[in-house]
Amino acid sequence: QVQLVESGGGSVQAGGSLRLSCVASGRASSSAVYGWFRQAPGKEREFVALIRWHGGSPFYADSVKGRFTISRDNPKNTLYLQMNSLKPEDTAVYYCAIASQYERAERAYHTWGQGTQVTVAS
């Protein structure tokens, strides 16, 4: 059973940057897909980005394309989300998750971290 632990959240001014980390303990399937989601206050959780653990192109939500970068360090079992040019509307709890398919729908993800808060001040 893989467990996920996010870190790196915090408070920044608009235009600033943060890098989120998600450490996976345990061994996921070689075909696993790792994703980042976020949930703003009063809103549903939404997809942010995904990447295959063993290679392939990442995929981003339109709202973050060009500003966020998802990456992974396989030897360290760590997933990252580099967030640049942050906007107040990026304020949310960010979650990493694992799916068995290359899929952006939340229902495809079976393992979730506890989340890390990102707050962007205007």
Side-chain angles (χ1 to χ4, degrees):
Q1 180 77 18
V2 177
Q3 292 186 319
L4 303 174
V5 178
E6 302 99 332
S7 62
S11 297
V12 295
Q13 294 291 318
S17 298
L18 281 174
R19 187 176 79 158
L20 306 183
S21 300
C22 172
V23 178
S25 62
R27 191 180 181 112
S29 163
S30 60
S31 61
V33 174
Y34 281 69
W36 285 100
F37 289 77
R38 65 186 182 186
Q39 187 167 22
K43 295 189 176 181
E44 305 226 334
R45 190 153 54 184
E46 65 175 3
F47 167 79
V48 174
L50 65 80
I51 192 168
R52 291 189 192 277
W53 193 246
H54 289 288
S57 299
F59 182 78
Y60 298 94
D62 288 345
S63 58
V64 306
K65 202 174 296 183
R67 300 188 299 121
F68 290 11
T69 302
I70 187 172
S71 63
R72 75 267 188 265
D73 184 330
N74 292 38
K76 293 184 178 179
N77 278 350
T78 303
L79 179 75
Y80 299 102
L81 186 69
Q82 177 67 44
M83 305 186 295
N84 298 328
S85 302
L86 282 161
K87 305 175 181 180
E89 52 263 44
D90 294 318
T91 295
V93 177
Y94 283 71
Y95 300 89
C96 61
I98 303 173
S100 301
Q101 303 173 46
Y102 194 82
E103 173 65 63
R104 62 179 292 169
E106 184 178 339
R107 64 179 179 274
Y109 290 77
H110 52 73
T111 302
W112 293 81
Q114 83 289 349
T116 186
Q117 176 71 46
V118 171
T119 303
V120 185
S122 58

